[in-house]
Amino acid sequence: MSGTDRSRAGDWVPQGPFCILVEPQLGENIGASARAMWNFGLNRMRVVAPRDGWPNPKAVAMASGAGRVLEEARLFDTAAAAMADLQVVYATTARPRDLIKRVLTPEAAMGEAAALTAEGARVGLLFGRERTGLETEEIVRASAIVTIPTNPAFASINLAQSVLLLAYEWRRAVAAAEPERLVTNRTEIAPQADVDRLVAHLTARLDAAEFFFPEHKRPAMLANLRNYFYRTPLTDQDIRTLYGVIRALGGRGT
Amino acid sequence: MSGTDRSRAGDWVPQGPFCILVEPQLGENIGASARAMWNFGLNRMRVVAPRDGWPNPKAVAMASGAGRVLEEARLFDTAAAAMADLQVVYATTARPRDLIKRVLTPEAAMGEAAALTAEGARVGLLFGRERTGLETEEIVRASAIVTIPTNPAFASINLAQSVLLLAYEWRRAVAAAEPERLVTNRTEIAPQADVDRLVAHLTARLDAAEFFFPEHKRPAMLANLRNYFYRTPLTDQDIRTLYGVIRALGGRGT
């Protein structure tokens, strides 16, 4: 996939919330965060005082395919500076004990963020240091807290994974307005009349073979059989196949 | 956090869908997948033919804190064997071009999975090889496909991240509310091994009738036919009915 984003450079539009990494230590984590962002269409990164300087070769190596996120990232000295021009910031952290602040799920936060962004707000997501997370002073500046609902017995989750889950929820939120796609590929789902004909055909063949026996059980047996065929959407292809199967099993060849 | 799960060993209850890793190459990815599972309360892993053998020291090192997931993981030779006792399996993969099968979002799939699990179904999540993903034959056996809605310009997402997102949606689903029932009544959904036997039986009968003609089209025809049977959850009742149908159509009466 490397370079795919470059080949579509024309599609590159800075978009979505600013992802602010506060004093990240490992270049690998920065690169993995860039990938996680771009996986879900986010591309505006801000990096606060990275331990190993900037640019960071390990970050670049890890980001392969999402390198442009790093190239266009902005560097800041403090978290406060990185948030200064933003209007609403969500801080990802465990629920703090001492601060009174709204605590949101990732879904709720990104739902809000999508609505605010659509209104033209500049929104940020704040991610803390690998080991020690965010400091109280940094959380204080946030508009709200986002807490990922992990297993209480095993809550530790790494930086890029936090970014991934927030970016995922961002994309879900912006896609929510669009209809959710279910089902299939290009083949058409058959109209029910076609299923009716198939079932009638099969029923006639089974009646001829005295399948529905004893007679008083016929209605229930038939209902079960028909239910089976109506339960899944059958495609045109499926129907052709099933006619063929019925014919073949009846010994009349293809 | 390391060891937190052990200190609460009394809380350890095997729970949630079985996460099946098919031929994972890197121990680090297996370990990271174990962490991702346990982050959201999943702890039943199955590993199919891991490239570097089992147990894998790199997996253990990476899994720190979630080591018990690995200790209790079960090893299988093939994906089919790892699915044999499961009733509903979701395959994580990009939307396939040639198979007709339901394609669900992670949210929709885990919502279904939670409802089915609440009814006592044995559910699996199938994850492919790092580079090449799942093979068609493996996807065919799944009840439905789960596609993570990544950025089309940068869709590549790693194994542990896929596991993380599905596990996250699982936890969201079980936390969401109590089961809304899908599917059936009292009848049990058949384990996949029963479907295997039915399909093998039918295939043999169709081969005898020279159904798969011309020969070079046999693989595609067979894949379509098999896909049809794996696509819907078949109940024990359905399976008995279908054996009866095959027998009746073959003219051997009831």
Side-chain angles (χ1 to χ4, degrees):
Chain A
M1 295 301 296
S2 176
T4 302
D5 51 326
R6 288 165 187 283
S7 68
R8 302 195 187 184
D11 293 341
W12 179 282
V13 179
Q15 59 190 313
F18 294 85
C19 294
I20 306 168
L21 310 188
V22 179
E23 299 187 8
Q25 300 189 290
L26 297 174
E28 290 85 344
N29 291 334
I30 302 170
S33 297
R35 290 181 62 90
M37 287 171 58
W38 190 222
N39 273 144
F40 294 105
L42 300 184
N43 54 12
R44 303 197 286 189
M45 178 184 274
R46 294 180 167 187
V47 186
V48 177
R51 185 189 67 183
D52 297 336
W54 197 260
N56 182 317
K58 287 183 179 168
V60 172
M62 180 61 97
S64 72
R68 189 162 168 185
V69 174
L70 296 181
E71 286 165 22
E72 305 206 358
R74 284 183 60 196
L75 195 64
F76 292 85
D77 289 334
T78 65
M83 290 188 266
D85 64 330
L86 304 182
Q87 292 160 302
V88 181
V89 174
Y90 299 89
T92 59
T93 180
R95 196 188 193 83
R97 256 161 296 189
D98 304 325
L99 290 176
I100 307 299
K101 195 168 295 242
R102 287 190 306 146
V103 178
L104 303 177
T105 62
E107 180 182 30
M110 294 303 93
E112 250 189 39
L116 291 166
T117 301
E119 293 171 5
R122 292 168 67 82
V123 174
L125 311 179
L126 198 62
F127 297 92
R129 301 152 188 85
E130 286 97 329
R131 289 195 190 167
T132 57
L134 291 169
E135 294 174 1
T136 301
E137 171 58 25
E138 292 155 354
I139 298 171
V140 164
R141 288 175 172 275
S143 314
I145 286 165
V146 186
T147 299
I148 296 170
T150 45
N151 178 0
F154 188 56
S156 85
I157 189 167
N158 75 32
L159 174 58
Q161 286 175 322
S162 297
V163 173
L164 184 81
L165 289 171
L166 273 286
Y168 166 79
E169 285 289 8
W170 164 263
R171 191 170 182 92
R172 286 216 315 129
V174 296
E178 304 160 18
E180 191 166 346
R181 67 206 174 77
L182 269 176
V183 192
T184 77
N185 307 328
R186 277 151 304 168
T187 323
E188 290 292 317
I189 295 185
Q192 202 165 64
D194 291 352
V195 183
D196 293 345
R197 271 189 290 275
L198 172 70
V199 170
H201 173 74
L202 176 61
T203 305
R205 299 291 297 271
L206 291 173
D207 271 328
E210 298 179 13
F211 173 70
F212 299 108
F213 181 86
E215 178 64 24
H216 73 272
K217 285 197 176 170
R218 186 176 189 278
M221 291 172 76
L222 185 54
N224 273 328
L225 182 65
R226 301 182 68 219
N227 183 48
Y228 171 72
F229 285 103
Y230 287 107
R231 205 170 61 207
T232 326
L234 286 167
T235 64
D236 295 343
Q237 160 84 54
D238 290 331
I239 290 199
R240 284 193 301 273
T241 301
L242 289 169
Y243 274 112
V245 166
I246 293 166
R247 194 165 53 233
L249 289 173
R252 301 184 196 179
T254 46
Chain B
M1 295 302 295
S2 176
T4 302
D5 53 324
R6 287 167 186 282
S7 68
R8 303 195 187 186
D11 293 341
W12 179 283
V13 180
Q15 58 191 308
F18 294 84
C19 294
I20 306 168
L21 310 187
V22 180
E23 299 185 10
Q25 299 189 291
L26 297 174
E28 289 86 343
N29 291 334
I30 302 170
S33 296
R35 289 181 62 89
M37 287 171 60
W38 190 223
N39 273 146
F40 293 106
L42 300 185
N43 54 12
R44 301 197 285 187
M45 179 185 274
R46 293 181 168 187
V47 186
V48 177
R51 186 190 66 182
D52 297 337
W54 197 260
N56 182 317
K58 287 181 179 170
V60 172
M62 178 62 96
S64 72
R68 189 161 167 185
V69 174
L70 297 181
E71 287 164 23
E72 305 206 357
R74 282 184 61 195
L75 194 63
F76 292 85
D77 289 334
T78 65
M83 290 188 266
D85 65 329
L86 303 181
Q87 291 159 306
V88 181
V89 174
Y90 300 89
T92 59
T93 181
R95 193 192 193 80
R97 257 161 297 190
D98 304 324
L99 287 177
I100 307 301
K101 197 167 291 240
R102 287 190 307 149
V103 178
L104 302 177
T105 62
E107 180 182 31
M110 293 305 92
E112 251 190 38
L116 291 166
T117 301
E119 292 174 4
R122 292 167 68 84
V123 174
L125 311 179
L126 198 62
F127 298 92
R129 301 151 186 84
E130 286 96 330
R131 289 196 189 164
T132 55
L134 292 169
E135 294 173 1
T136 300
E137 169 58 23
E138 293 153 355
I139 298 171
V140 162
R141 287 173 172 274
S143 314
I145 286 165
V146 186
T147 298
I148 296 170
T150 44
N151 177 1
F154 187 57
S156 86
I157 190 166
N158 75 33
L159 174 59
Q161 286 175 322
S162 297
V163 174
L164 184 81
L165 289 171
L166 274 284
Y168 166 78
E169 285 289 8
W170 164 262
R171 192 169 181 93
R172 287 216 315 128
V174 295
E178 280 317 292
E180 187 185 337
R181 35 183 296 114
L182 275 173
V183 191
T184 73
N185 307 325
R186 277 146 303 163
T187 324
E188 289 290 318
I189 297 180
Q192 201 167 64
D194 291 351
V195 183
D196 292 346
R197 272 189 290 274
L198 172 69
V199 169
H201 174 73
L202 176 61
T203 305
R205 297 290 296 274
L206 291 172
D207 271 327
E210 295 178 16
F211 172 71
F212 299 108
F213 181 85
E215 177 65 23
H216 71 274
K217 287 197 174 170
R218 185 178 190 281
M221 291 174 73
L222 186 54
N224 272 326
L225 181 66
R226 300 181 68 220
N227 185 45
Y228 170 72
F229 285 103
Y230 287 107
R231 206 169 62 203
T232 325
L234 286 167
T235 63
D236 294 342
Q237 160 84 56
D238 289 331
I239 291 201
R240 284 193 302 273
T241 300
L242 289 169
Y243 273 114
V245 166
I246 294 167
R247 195 165 51 230
L249 290 173
R252 300 186 196 179
T254 44

